[in-house]
Amino acid sequence: MPKNRNTFSSLAAWRRRAANRAVHAGWNWMQRAGAVTAQTPGRIRFGAIGSGTRLAFPQGTVFGAPWIRLGEYCIIAEQVTLTAGMMPDLDLGPDPVLVLGDGVVLGRGSHVIADAPITIGNDTFCGPGVYITSTNHSYDDPDEPVGKQWPRSAPVEIGPGCWLGTGAVILPGARLGRNVVVAAGAVVRGEVPDHAVVAGAPARIVRRWEPETGWQPPLRTPAPRPVPEGVTPQQLRALAELERPAEAR
């Protein structure tokens, strides 16, 4: 009897492992097959999608795609919402409404809601769960439910080289300059100058770089060491492999 019990237990364990491998293999296949690129747009017809840009599978809600333009080498993670207009199947005119520059990264679960124009500059990186919108609810009428009052819209501009931390919210009318850092969870409205760090809700400037004085307040971390000239990406990867513990390789 113990022998039979061991046999059935081993068979059940083998089946669970086989099912686990099959599920993961199938999911990996769907992720590769379901990714959206310029060569494999699937059902989505963007106004433009640059070379090297990839929307991971599964995609979030996407509508108004003809008025959405994506630059080259953008990375759009899973479950990212991209919308142009208040609802699907609207004619938004001849001009794009949502424009992503080259090298833009949108983290998993982020939302970009463009009822009025939104522009995101080159090489801007967004962490997971970032929310960028050009429309906000109005609540002028105290007797009418807020969700039934007509919203207000204003264009949003995010300059090149910015970093938006996890859960950051960019509100209508915001204008971020070049290389702006938005702390995780910050809520940004209004104008933010170049080379500023903002945090809080509502966000305020907590650090800024000026050519005459550098960073104020001064940075608490040491400056990063520059990569020596002539070092290739392949050499850097090989160096990283050497520094990893043997058991992790």
Side-chain angles (χ1 to χ4, degrees):
M1 192 66 176
K3 181 177 180 181
N4 290 339
R5 186 182 298 115
N6 290 340
T7 300
F8 290 137
S9 176
S10 298
L11 181 59
W14 179 85
R15 286 175 175 170
R16 286 195 298 270
R17 289 194 297 270
N20 180 271
R21 287 194 295 268
V23 167
H24 282 278
W27 180 250
N28 289 338
W29 180 86
M30 285 193 294
Q31 285 183 308
R32 293 192 299 272
V36 169
T37 67
Q39 293 73 35
T40 58
R43 62 178 178 82
I44 305 174
R45 295 294 183 267
F46 289 109
I49 179 168
S51 171
T53 288
R54 184 181 184 91
L55 284 77
F57 178 86
Q59 291 88 39
T61 301
V62 178
F63 64 74
W67 291 273
I68 299 174
R69 295 186 180 178
L70 309 178
E72 296 185 344
Y73 300 102
C74 296
I75 299 174
I76 315 298
E78 297 176 15
Q79 299 291 355
V80 169
T81 292
L82 300 172
T83 67
M86 284 191 175
M87 61 189 71
D89 303 323
L90 296 177
D91 185 347
L92 303 179
D95 299 322
V97 177
L98 171 55
V99 178
L100 272 60
D102 298 338
V104 171
V105 176
L106 296 178
R108 182 186 178 104
S110 293
H111 291 63
V112 186
I113 312 297
D115 297 338
I118 292 179
T119 303
I120 301 178
N122 296 346
D123 301 314
T124 286
F125 288 16
C126 300
V130 168
Y131 193 91
I132 303 169
T133 181
S134 57
T135 297
N136 213 348
H137 294 289
S138 59
Y139 48 86
D140 304 58
D141 188 341
D143 299 319
E144 187 73 11
V146 172
K148 292 185 177 181
Q149 299 188 44
W150 194 257
R152 290 192 176 91
S153 299
V156 171
E157 298 179 21
I158 298 175
C162 293
W163 171 263
L164 279 59
T166 300
V169 177
I170 310 299
L171 294 176
R175 297 182 61 188
L176 279 62
R178 182 184 185 88
N179 285 22
V180 169
V181 175
V182 178
V187 179
V188 182
R189 65 182 305 169
E191 190 160 349
V192 179
D194 295 349
H195 309 296
V197 180
V198 297
R204 62 182 182 86
I205 295 175
V206 296
R207 180 170 278 120
R208 190 173 176 187
W209 184 86
E210 296 286 357
E212 299 80 12
T213 58
W215 286 105
Q216 296 298 327
L219 296 174
R220 293 189 295 269
T221 54
R225 291 179 295 175
V227 176
E229 290 187 15
V231 175
T232 66
Q234 293 80 6
Q235 290 171 327
L236 287 174
R237 284 195 293 269
L239 183 61
E241 285 293 323
L242 288 175
E243 292 180 347
R244 289 173 59 194
E247 61 272 14
R249 296 179 191 170

